[in-house]
Amino acid sequence: MTSTTDDARLHLREGHTGPLGHYWFLTFEDAPELHALTKTCQQAIDPAFFDATPVDGLHLTLDRIANDGASTPEQRASIAEAARLVCGERAPVTLTFDQLSNLRGAVGFAVSPAESVHSLRDTLRAATLSVFPDARVKDSSSPPHVTIAYPIFEELQARAAATAEAMNATIEGIDVAVSEVMMVALEQRGRLYSWQVVERVPLSITN
């Protein structure tokens, strides 16, 4: 447990509120096994330090398309059509969730194989840039992940790492099939995120 002295040094993590822009996401509305595993893990996470992600809010960010107000509906429709053409040549992917990790103070699943996620991201990025060369794509050093709890305070990396390590001893990994990607309009609400799906793009080998 954190002592009273340690608690006094914690600083509240302020969150932006409002639209962030348009992104490529994987979402997991139809992944009941992932929902169940997430809920089990969240029961071991201290709500005094972390906000749990609602299971209908689980997502994996693939790439940014544009910041808020930086693209038009017509551009986004053309990007989605370009993505449909290239994703029609890709098979659905299976992702594994079997380890939790510290994500700069958040707690989340590391998603593997990373190569499959990066390949899908690169395919979508190429489609985006083919239509919208000025797209503000998001280069990130973070490995593919799905966050299940966001820190309420700054500087919770050590607590997040210890929380993840304790749970990893008991986690039984699961596989989740992914058959579509989403273009979303993303908003941040305090420490959590919400979105509206703008376009759905299936992954399916064209015969």
Side-chain angles (χ1 to χ4, degrees):
M1 296 295 291
T2 301
S3 69
T4 302
T5 302
D6 290 337
D7 287 348
R9 289 200 293 265
L10 294 174
H11 298 285
L12 187 67
R13 178 175 173 265
E14 299 294 342
H16 167 87
T17 296
L20 295 175
H22 289 82
Y23 288 72
W24 289 116
F25 266 21
L26 299 181
T27 62
F28 303 97
E29 299 97 326
D30 299 320
E33 290 185 344
L34 177 59
H35 295 178
L37 179 59
T38 297
K39 289 179 179 178
T40 297
C41 293
Q42 288 173 338
Q43 291 173 1
I45 297 176
D46 191 338
F49 294 94
F50 298 93
D51 282 334
T53 307
V55 292
D56 62 358
L58 297 173
H59 65 280
L60 190 158
T61 303
L62 290 168
D63 205 9
R64 178 172 56 205
I65 297 168
N67 292 323
D68 183 50
S71 64
T72 66
E74 292 77 16
Q75 286 171 324
R76 295 192 292 271
S78 295
I79 291 168
E81 185 57 32
R84 287 190 181 92
L85 290 175
V86 292
C87 287
E89 301 298 327
R90 294 189 61 103
V93 298
T94 297
L95 302 178
T96 298
F97 296 72
D98 60 3
Q99 290 288 298
L100 287 161
S101 63
N102 162 39
L103 304 166
R104 299 178 182 176
V107 179
F109 288 109
V111 178
S112 61
E115 295 80 4
S116 294
V117 177
H118 292 157
S119 176
L120 182 56
R121 175 204 62 196
D122 292 346
T123 296
L124 292 165
R125 180 174 292 181
T128 298
L129 292 172
S130 73
V131 172
F132 188 28
D134 295 329
R136 296 294 300 274
V137 296
K138 185 177 178 63
D139 288 321
S140 174
S141 59
S142 298
H145 62 272
V146 171
T147 301
I148 67 168
Y150 290 91
I152 295 173
F153 303 102
E154 302 285 354
E155 304 302 329
L156 288 184
Q157 289 89 338
R159 180 175 286 272
T163 299
E165 183 178 359
M167 286 187 287
N168 281 338
T170 61
I171 287 177
E172 293 187 11
I174 61 167
D175 292 335
V176 176
V178 173
S179 59
E180 62 182 355
V181 298
M182 314 293 185
M183 178 189 290
V184 304
L186 181 64
E187 293 188 9
Q188 186 171 354
R189 297 181 179 177
R191 290 175 290 272
L192 301 178
Y193 297 88
S194 65
W195 64 86
Q196 291 185 336
V197 175
V198 177
E199 301 278 359
R200 295 177 180 267
V201 176
L203 305 175
S204 58
I205 295 293
T206 302
N207 294 321

